[in-house]
Amino acid sequence: MTMELNNIKSVYFIGAGGIGMSALIRYFLAKGQNVAGYDRTPSALTNRLAEEGAVIHFEENEALIPDQFRNKNETLVVYTPAVPSSHEELVYFQNNGFKVLKRSQVLGLITTSSRGLCVAGTHGKTTTSSMVAHILKQSTVDCNAFLGGILKGYDSNLMLSDQSDLTVIEADEYDRSFHFLTPYMAVITSADPDHLDIYGTPQAYRESFEKFTSLIRPGGALIMKKGIDVTPDLQPDVRLYTYSATDETADFHAENIRIGNGEVFFDFVSPELHVADVQLGVPIKINIENGIAAMAVALLNGVTADEMRKAMKSFAGAQRRFDFQVKNDHVVYIDDYAHHPQELRSSIQSVKELFEGRKVTGVFQPHLYSRTRDFAADFALALSLLDRLILLDIYPAREEPIPGVSSEIIFDKVTINDKMLCKKDELMKILEKEDLDVLVTLGAGDIDRFVEPIRKMLNEKYL
């Protein structure tokens, strides 16, 4: 299967601007292949990819496919499941005998010849996989990595190594994509039901994770958060470990946690090793748990205590994962990708804990009509932790509208009085008039396009 990829001269991406797709684009560019593709809208990421050598257009039009990508024997086509099956360019390639694969299938091909360290979970997987990659990269062990976020300090979601066969993968459960992987080691950070538009029931969602555990290679390991609702189905000779931030019965856990003055310290405890005074480079409480999982993977792959301690302190985080944009004596602005109720709750609680006693204003953009419908009450509970809420319209992504489903079904259940509905084109005017103390923008849609304008506005207003 690896030979098939080596024979490819050109790779065409449908949905080229997605964060996961962009790592593959960079991988094939690094290998010297021609790369082109389509995305619905230009973005800072597609601009970067174009600068790096990819040819990307933004009109769904078969005629715009470059000639060198029309040889079916030399061209691989990669698409994201978010693209509709009726997409004109996808239909062209499928009808003309091209090799057409999902992004996850290509990752599966790449990792058959390496030892995959695959991090799965409803939430926490981007930060945890980024931590694993950073620790390994900063150690003598080294790694390759395909990440779901742009890692600060590397300015990329792709890492390549010419000396290590370890490959860190963010394992995506959407559309059962992670079933194409064959991990050497796997982490499961959480399994709270999500993507019910795909899975139908929480039980089917859980069973998908259990299927994922059965794919771990003999001789490998599963590192699973203690207490989550997943019953592993492991092959013979696959080791099972548990981890937790606070449960001392877990194989890997934290002790002596200290939070204060914007800093977080803890001791890492494992069956073999005790690492004292680990400092988090991104000092939020949830990163203790993520850090325990990442250090467990690193330890099992030969990273030393000193290497782990240094790497955890220097970890700067992934963009849009509790991402500090402004932090001065007057105002704090954090941007976060949280788009599931449990993620929202964790993010807001972390902000309130770090900045106790200060007024926290949250701007939230719901992602998907189906997720809004399925979890409206849970979203409202999480958002009610804020001091002030500005709620945007739903970002539809791949979905058509669902009758009766709008941001208002969340808004009506939010219990705080200081709340408002807001259209995207009104947001900047509203924020400019606000007396802001701590601001957090939340969501997985296109709310990230406001980050730079908000950051610029706050720096001008409060400096």
Side-chain angles (χ1 to χ4, degrees):
M1 285 191 288
T2 307
M3 285 303 294
E4 285 184 31
L5 290 181
N6 290 338
N7 292 336
I8 294 297
K9 292 185 178 178
S10 301
V11 189
Y12 193 85
F13 287 83
I14 303 175
I19 190 68
M21 293 283 268
S22 67
L24 281 178
I25 288 174
R26 286 172 163 142
Y27 173 81
F28 285 112
L29 285 171
K31 298 294 183 185
Q33 274 106 336
N34 300 315
V35 176
Y38 156 88
D39 201 69
R40 188 167 59 176
T41 52
S43 65
L45 184 52
T46 58
N47 292 341
R48 283 286 305 276
L49 294 172
E51 290 169 7
E52 293 168 29
V55 178
I56 301 172
H57 64 264
F58 304 95
E59 178 188 341
E60 183 182 335
N61 186 346
E62 181 257 311
L64 295 177
I65 299 169
D67 288 344
Q68 68 263 43
F69 294 84
R70 293 178 182 267
N71 184 332
K72 66 180 180 182
N73 297 317
E74 296 179 349
T75 300
L76 171 66
V77 180
V78 186
Y79 73 101
T80 171
V83 169
S85 58
S86 60
H87 191 281
E88 182 179 329
E89 296 175 29
L90 180 61
V91 169
Y92 164 79
F93 286 117
Q94 288 174 330
N95 288 347
N96 285 279
F98 283 77
K99 184 78 168 178
V100 180
L101 297 176
K102 292 181 183 179
R103 177 184 72 90
S104 51
Q105 290 174 294
V106 180
L107 275 178
L109 288 176
I110 290 170
T111 55
T112 51
S113 60
S114 66
R115 289 183 294 155
L117 307 175
C118 303
V119 181
T122 315
H123 31 260
K125 56 183 175 286
T126 296
T127 297
T128 304
S129 57
S130 297
M131 280 181 170
V132 173
H134 176 68
I135 296 170
L136 292 172
K137 207 71 184 171
Q138 297 300 312
S139 76
T140 55
V141 177
D142 204 4
C143 70
N144 305 275
F146 292 83
L147 304 173
I150 304 296
L151 194 52
K152 291 179 171 183
Y154 300 83
D155 202 24
S156 182
N157 52 349
L158 173 71
M159 297 179 185
L160 296 175
S161 170
D162 57 7
Q163 67 179 37
S164 175
D165 72 335
L166 293 171
T167 302
V168 181
I169 303 268
E170 179 174 330
D172 186 5
E173 79 278 8
Y174 173 71
D175 199 33
R176 297 177 173 84
S177 292
F178 59 173
H179 291 173
F180 292 106
L181 303 172
T182 52
Y184 164 59
M185 291 187 184
V187 176
I188 299 179
T189 63
S190 49
D192 302 318
D194 195 10
H195 303 301
L196 297 186
D197 56 320
I198 299 293
Y199 286 98
T201 66
Q203 180 182 351
Y205 186 79
R206 187 189 73 240
E207 288 170 353
S208 185
F209 279 88
E210 291 169 352
K211 166 72 173 175
F212 173 67
T213 68
S214 74
L215 304 174
I216 301 169
R217 302 177 198 172
L222 170 63
I223 302 147
M224 190 169 76
K225 183 184 170 184
K226 182 144 191 175
I228 63 174
D229 187 18
V230 170
T231 303
D233 179 17
L234 302 177
Q235 296 186 57
D237 198 29
V238 174
R239 294 161 287 162
L240 173 62
Y241 298 96
T242 58
Y243 76 93
S244 171
T246 54
D247 188 336
E248 294 184 2
T249 65
D251 297 307
F252 301 96
H253 61 270
E255 291 179 355
N256 193 22
I257 296 171
R258 290 145 285 160
I259 301 174
N261 299 321
E263 295 181 336
V264 177
F265 289 85
F266 64 92
D267 296 352
F268 171 76
V269 181
S270 78
E272 306 163 16
L273 189 67
H274 185 115
V275 184
D277 297 325
V278 177
Q279 182 177 4
L280 287 177
V282 181
I284 58 171
K285 194 171 185 178
I286 191 63
N287 277 349
I288 300 173
E289 186 173 278
N290 295 331
I292 294 294
M295 292 175 73
V297 176
L299 179 64
L300 292 172
N301 285 283
V303 179
T304 68
D306 283 343
E307 288 174 333
M308 283 192 286
R309 193 185 288 107
K310 288 176 184 174
M312 289 297 291
K313 184 177 181 179
S314 64
F315 178 71
Q319 290 180 12
R320 302 226 60 226
R321 300 314 191 277
F322 210 88
D323 192 353
F324 281 90
Q325 297 291 326
V326 178
K327 188 178 181 184
N328 58 44
D329 293 339
H330 307 288
V331 67
V332 174
Y333 170 37
I334 298 163
D335 177 49
D336 195 37
Y337 188 70
H339 59 284
H340 182 278
Q342 194 57 44
E343 291 175 335
L344 269 187
R345 175 177 288 277
S346 294
S347 184
I348 294 166
Q349 285 176 332
S350 293
V351 176
K352 300 279 283 186
E353 189 169 16
L354 267 182
F355 301 101
E356 190 175 356
R358 298 179 66 172
K359 181 181 178 181
V360 178
T361 299
V363 181
F364 177 56
Q365 181 189 48
H367 185 260
L368 299 177
Y369 293 102
S370 60
R371 187 183 281 126
T372 302
R373 176 198 63 201
D374 295 339
F375 300 111
D378 295 328
F379 278 125
L381 275 173
L383 293 169
S384 296
L385 297 170
L386 292 164
D387 299 304
R388 174 158 170 71
L389 168 65
I390 300 172
L391 186 61
L392 300 178
D393 288 337
I394 296 169
Y395 182 78
R398 56 188 177 267
E399 291 185 337
E400 295 298 320
I402 297 174
V405 177
S406 71
S407 291
E408 287 189 48
I409 68 172
I410 296 174
F411 185 81
D412 291 344
K413 293 180 174 67
V414 171
T415 57
I416 58 171
N417 293 322
D418 198 353
K419 60 181 181 176
M420 68 176 294
L421 290 164
C422 175
K423 300 290 185 186
K424 275 195 300 187
D425 58 5
E426 299 169 354
L427 179 61
M428 288 307 299
K429 290 178 185 175
I430 288 167
L431 291 178
E432 285 166 6
K433 294 175 184 175
E434 296 271 325
D435 183 19
L436 295 165
D437 186 8
V438 178
L439 174 67
V440 55
T441 47
L442 301 147
D446 61 358
I447 193 170
D448 62 319
R449 301 193 178 196
F450 288 98
V451 172
E452 186 56 30
I454 292 172
R455 192 172 68 84
K456 186 171 182 289
M457 179 270 291
L458 291 176
N459 280 328
E460 290 174 355
K461 184 175 179 179
Y462 291 98
L463 280 183

